[in-house]
């Protein structure tokens, strides 16, 4: 029985380059999403139209916690590639 508390976590790894890359699909059951930049390059987060000038920057070694949106997330680098780790907790 669910009481609206977190029940499941899903983990993934995504390589991001200079074209917008889907990190994770939207999920209406998302409780929280953690996006971790394990790469050496800064990444920029946003929607499908993200660019390095419009996206929210995520420095190497940083974590972006998303407690608010249920939307899909995309990322891009200005140059090079970055390794992104995701953990999504759902209810």
């Amino acid at each position: 029985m669910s009481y609206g508390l977190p029940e499941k976590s899903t983990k993934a790894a995504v390589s991001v380059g200079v074209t917008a890359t889907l990190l994770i699909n939207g999920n209406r059951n998302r409780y929280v999403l953690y996006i971790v930049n394990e790469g050496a390059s800064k990444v920029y987060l946003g929607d499908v139209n993200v660019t390095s000038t419009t996206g929210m920057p995520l420095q190497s070694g940083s974590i972006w916690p998303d407690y608010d949106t249920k939307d899909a997330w995309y990322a891009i680098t200005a140059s090079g590639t970055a390794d992104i780790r995701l953990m999504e907790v759902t209810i």
Side-chain angles (χ1 to χ4, degrees):
M1 175 182 284
S2 174
Y3 294 99
L5 300 174
E7 293 183 0
K8 178 182 173 190
S9 67
T10 305
K11 299 170 185 77
V14 180
S15 180
V16 175
V18 297
T19 58
T21 303
L22 176 66
L23 296 178
I24 193 164
N25 287 313
N27 185 346
R28 65 183 179 88
N29 294 319
R30 182 180 299 148
Y31 180 75
V32 63
L33 171 67
Y34 297 102
I35 303 173
V36 182
N37 184 354
E38 290 286 317
S41 299
K42 183 189 311 183
V43 297
Y44 300 88
L45 305 172
D47 63 15
V48 67
N49 298 309
V50 68
T51 68
S52 59
T53 57
T54 62
M56 296 296 296
L58 183 64
Q59 301 290 339
S60 175
S62 296
I63 300 172
W64 180 279
D66 173 16
Y67 296 101
D68 298 320
T69 68
K70 312 293 186 208
D71 300 332
W73 279 95
Y74 289 78
I76 193 169
T77 63
S79 64
T81 60
D83 296 318
I84 302 299
R85 302 292 187 265
L86 306 163
M87 185 173 80
E88 179 182 53
V89 180
T90 57
I91 53 174

